[in-house]
């Protein structure tokens, strides 16, 4: 028998797994962008990173819920990957522009 609690937990896990997969196109788009990926907000993704990190700590340390902690940790890692890819892309473009022209 499926309880309300188990249905909610399953939905949480399913949607968070889907959310982790949804980060991948953003990471790929940033990496493939030939410019500085100006359409992507570094401050927004940094905020998402911090929010997911605080959710990870809240779930794990205060609630002792390892399932939620893992789900939020995966989202935190994906947000960190987006911010890192964005920083890498922007730094690479800046360096390329600073090279002497031939």
């Amino acid at each position: 028998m499926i309880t309300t609690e188990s249905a909610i937990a399953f939905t949480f896990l399913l949607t968070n797994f889907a959310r982790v997969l949804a980060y991948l196109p953003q990471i790929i788009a940033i990496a493939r962008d030939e410019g500085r990926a100006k359409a992507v907000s570094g401050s927004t993704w940094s905020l998402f990173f911090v929010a997911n990190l605080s959710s990870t700590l809240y779930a794990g340390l205060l609630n002792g819920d390892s399932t939620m902690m893992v789900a939020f940790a995966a989202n935190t890692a994906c947000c960190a990957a987006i911010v890192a890819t964005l920083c890498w892309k922007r730094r690479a473009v800046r360096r390329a522009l600073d090279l002497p022209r031939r």
Side-chain angles (χ1 to χ4, degrees):
M1 178 173 171
I2 298 175
T3 65
T4 301
E5 184 177 298
S6 64
I8 291 170
F10 177 75
T11 302
F12 173 80
L13 289 174
L14 184 64
T15 56
N16 274 276
F17 177 72
R19 189 164 63 155
V20 167
L21 293 178
Y23 291 121
L24 296 177
Q26 183 74 78
I27 295 167
I28 293 167
I30 294 167
R32 288 183 177 168
D33 190 293
E34 293 184 17
R36 297 184 63 218
K38 290 200 267 185
V40 179
S41 172
S43 59
T44 298
W45 282 105
S46 295
L47 176 60
F48 291 165
F49 167 78
V50 172
N52 278 301
L53 179 60
S54 67
S55 297
T56 301
L57 296 173
Y58 180 81
L61 297 178
L62 297 182
N63 283 349
D65 189 331
S66 60
T67 302
M68 285 184 74
M69 184 183 76
V70 169
F72 285 126
N75 285 289
T76 302
C78 289
C79 289
I82 288 172
V83 171
T85 305
L86 188 58
C87 290
W88 163 76
K89 175 58 74 170
R90 290 181 177 169
R91 183 174 294 129
V93 170
R94 267 195 311 271
R95 285 183 179 160
L97 294 174
D98 288 339
L99 293 175
R101 296 179 188 237
R102 296 181 187 210

